[in-house]
Amino acid sequence: MVDTSRLNERLKNCQEFVHPHKVSVAGRLVRVVGLTLEAVGVKAAVGSQCLVETAQGDLIAEIVGFSKEITFLMPEQSLQGVLPGARVVPLTTKARLPFSMDLLGRVVDGVGKPLDGKGPIKNSGNYQINNKPINPLSRRGITEPLDVGVRAINSFLTVGIGQRMGLFAGSGVGKSVLLGMMTRGTTADVIVVGLIGERGREVKEFIEEILGEEGRARSVVVAAPADNSPLMRLKGCETAVQIAEYFRDQGMNVLLLVDSLTRYAQAQREIALAVGEPPATKGYPPSVFSKLPQLVERAGNGGDEQGSITAFFTVLTEGDDLQDPIADAARAILDGHIVLSRALADSGHYPAVDIEGSISRVMPMVTSDEHQQLARQLKQVYSLYQQNKDLIAIGAYSRGNDPRIDQSIDLMPVIKFFLQQKMLEIIPYDQSLTQLQEILSAAQAHAQAKQGQQNV
């Protein structure tokens, strides 16, 4: 007879020295190319994490693909200290994000680790991530406007609760400032900000100066700066969306700001090209264009007992080219787009929202007929002036030839003032509509007065 009690005791003693996250079978590193690690002998699924032994301690890497016996891994940190033939040990569990209300006011990295030096974040422990997409038939419709505190958007490009909007801009035209204005002026319950691929200096400036103490108190910031690995930048964007989903599942209305969707696509391009996926449009492989809708579609209204995620995804238009592949793909899957004009920014017009080139596809669903008519009439006046501004500037147009152009010339200073706003200024939705009505009423009164003078 075998003494099972002694056997169990010896087994228990052995288990104390086994890493709780490791399995017994390990592979070894055979090649390093750029940021890609190639290993043999690793038996784990794509998306699993592994520990790679280095001269400076263990390095966490994720399996991103395989080819025959070769497994491709992408590290979360730098590859300093990696040695030939190093052990690659799959982990049996993945680190979980700390989902709880304690996330509010915190700054975390791409995998949810605190960056603000305020200690660990408590995990509620009872929230399960559901990676399955929501059935589109179970989502609530978009029926209510969301106040973002920006007059130009509230009036001409009204955003609905649960809408997915794109913010298209080149570098240096004020998209980060506009995001900060929305964080301070929005009526959403929680704000989740994903700063993906930005400069480290910009991350600190956004948190301390643009977001401010009041905005930060009800916000969660996920930062994956440009010097992070492509895997961390990719995870940073997905972590921001997962945190927004957590607050949505608590019944809250969430404003999700991701800056930028282009950096997310570029991170996926780096990973895909490294594992051998062929490039397609302007060097972007096909997987990039399949991951974009998978990310964007996770935002929106939830079911009857859930809240909503209203999302703004910034798109960096390289060379101010709105036909850039990522910009073109994003326009097709978003519920509207706000274009920031470099010409307006160069002239000192902030926020530099181009109301002619922008559109909100759900505005007719969340605004009254009167609001739509007001916005349409003022937009027509603005557009008419833009079409004739060269003739007006050189003096080729004479007053009296076209009463509509005369009206646009008279109203243009007022419209420009209406579309501009100070960075720390918050203009509520109702006040925006009142001021819009006042401008149009003044325009009508001016037109009637002129008509009376002509009749006399």
Side-chain angles (χ1 to χ4, degrees):
M1 291 287 292
V2 179
D3 189 350
T4 56
S5 60
R6 291 187 61 187
L7 190 61
N8 288 336
E9 186 178 351
R10 290 182 62 186
L11 182 61
K12 182 179 178 181
N13 291 336
C14 289
Q15 287 175 341
E16 291 178 359
F17 298 97
V18 178
H19 194 290
H21 298 302
K22 292 182 181 178
V23 295
S24 56
V25 179
R28 61 185 179 86
L29 205 59
V30 295
R31 191 174 182 226
V32 176
V33 182
L35 291 177
T36 311
L37 305 175
E38 298 182 10
V40 294
V42 179
K43 302 296 181 183
V46 173
S48 301
Q49 290 183 326
C50 297
L51 284 181
V52 180
E53 295 182 351
T54 74
Q56 299 179 359
D58 289 342
L59 171 74
I60 296 179
E62 185 173 304
I63 298 176
V64 294
F66 58 86
S67 175
K68 297 182 180 179
E69 302 88 9
I70 303 293
T71 301
F72 300 106
L73 302 100
M74 190 69 67
E76 291 185 357
Q77 300 93 17
S78 82
L79 290 175
Q80 215 168 9
V82 174
L83 301 170
R87 282 166 51 87
V88 180
V89 184
L91 300 179
T92 57
T93 59
K94 290 183 74 171
R96 292 185 59 190
L97 291 172
F99 292 113
S100 70
M101 298 304 292
D102 289 343
L103 279 166
L104 292 175
R106 301 301 300 271
V107 183
V108 299
D109 66 6
V111 292
K113 296 178 182 176
L115 291 175
D116 49 15
K118 295 182 179 180
I121 302 171
K122 294 180 181 178
N123 193 337
S124 61
N126 55 4
Y127 180 74
Q128 298 295 326
I129 299 176
N130 184 10
N131 292 322
K132 293 182 180 179
I134 297 178
N135 186 330
L137 298 181
S138 66
R139 289 183 184 267
R140 300 190 313 279
I142 300 175
T143 57
E144 299 177 37
L146 176 72
D147 186 358
V148 295
V150 180
R151 183 166 50 197
I153 298 176
N154 283 340
S155 304
F156 291 98
L157 306 163
T158 309
V159 178
I161 295 177
Q163 184 174 358
R164 287 81 57 97
M165 286 285 281
L167 188 60
F168 291 71
S171 56
V173 295
K175 61 181 183 300
S176 296
V177 174
L178 181 57
L179 292 180
M181 291 171 67
M182 288 192 285
T183 60
R184 286 189 296 271
T186 184
T187 54
D189 301 319
V190 174
I191 302 146
V192 179
V193 183
L195 301 176
I196 312 302
E198 296 295 320
R199 293 183 288 273
R201 175 186 59 81
E202 286 187 333
V203 172
K204 186 173 182 179
E205 283 182 0
F206 185 90
I207 294 169
E208 294 183 355
E209 298 178 18
I210 297 177
L211 195 59
E213 285 298 324
E214 186 178 346
R216 187 174 173 180
R218 55 173 176 153
S219 303
V220 184
V221 178
V222 180
D227 59 347
N228 282 189
S229 71
L231 182 65
M232 284 293 280
R233 280 180 270 138
L234 197 73
K235 282 182 171 294
C237 200
E238 294 170 354
T239 295
V241 176
Q242 286 181 348
I243 291 173
E245 287 176 325
Y246 165 75
F247 288 108
R248 178 203 63 195
D249 293 343
Q250 310 309 308
M252 299 180 177
N253 290 328
V254 182
L255 178 63
L256 171 65
L257 308 174
V258 176
D259 186 15
S260 70
L261 198 65
T262 305
R263 305 298 188 199
Y264 174 79
Q266 289 173 348
Q268 173 60 22
R269 177 174 64 179
E270 290 180 48
I271 294 172
L273 293 178
V275 298
E277 188 176 350
T281 309
K282 283 194 177 180
Y284 287 99
S287 63
V288 171
F289 301 100
S290 66
K291 286 185 79 72
L292 287 178
Q294 291 175 12
L295 182 80
V296 169
E297 284 296 321
R298 290 167 64 180
N301 283 334
D304 293 333
E305 298 181 358
Q306 295 175 315
S308 66
I309 301 175
T310 306
F312 281 83
F313 297 94
T314 69
V315 179
L316 183 64
T317 52
E318 298 180 5
D320 294 335
D321 181 15
L322 291 175
Q323 306 308 317
D324 176 82
I326 300 303
D328 199 38
R331 257 197 314 269
I333 58 178
L334 292 167
D335 300 325
H337 52 273
I338 297 172
V339 178
L340 298 187
S341 166
R342 186 173 296 278
L344 289 175
D346 291 343
S347 66
H349 181 118
Y350 290 103
V353 177
D354 179 7
I355 61 171
E356 283 188 293
S358 307
I359 189 171
S360 173
R361 292 177 181 167
V362 305
M363 183 175 176
M365 307 176 196
V366 299
T367 55
S368 64
D369 292 339
E370 182 187 4
H371 180 181
Q372 295 170 43
Q373 187 176 1
L374 289 173
R376 192 182 305 115
Q377 289 177 351
L378 214 57
K379 196 171 182 180
Q380 288 170 352
V381 173
Y382 180 88
S383 181
L384 184 63
Y385 180 86
Q386 295 299 324
Q387 293 168 14
N388 295 276
K389 68 177 181 180
D390 292 336
L391 295 175
I392 298 169
I394 63 175
Y397 172 77
S398 299
R399 274 184 175 272
N401 290 342
D402 189 333
R404 297 181 308 147
I405 298 178
D406 293 344
Q407 183 191 42
S408 70
I409 294 173
D410 294 334
L411 283 179
M412 203 57 197
V414 182
I415 295 174
K416 283 186 176 180
F417 176 80
F418 179 83
L419 294 175
Q420 295 182 62
Q421 188 172 329
K422 296 178 181 178
M423 188 177 76
L424 299 178
E425 188 179 9
I426 298 173
I427 302 177
Y429 180 77
D430 293 337
Q431 185 179 341
S432 301
L433 295 190
T434 302
Q435 293 175 353
L436 187 67
Q437 176 66 61
E438 289 173 354
I439 291 177
L440 208 58
S441 298
Q444 291 170 350
H446 180 77
Q448 289 173 359
K450 277 213 161 190
Q451 187 66 34
Q453 291 174 0
Q454 291 175 359
N455 292 338
V456 173

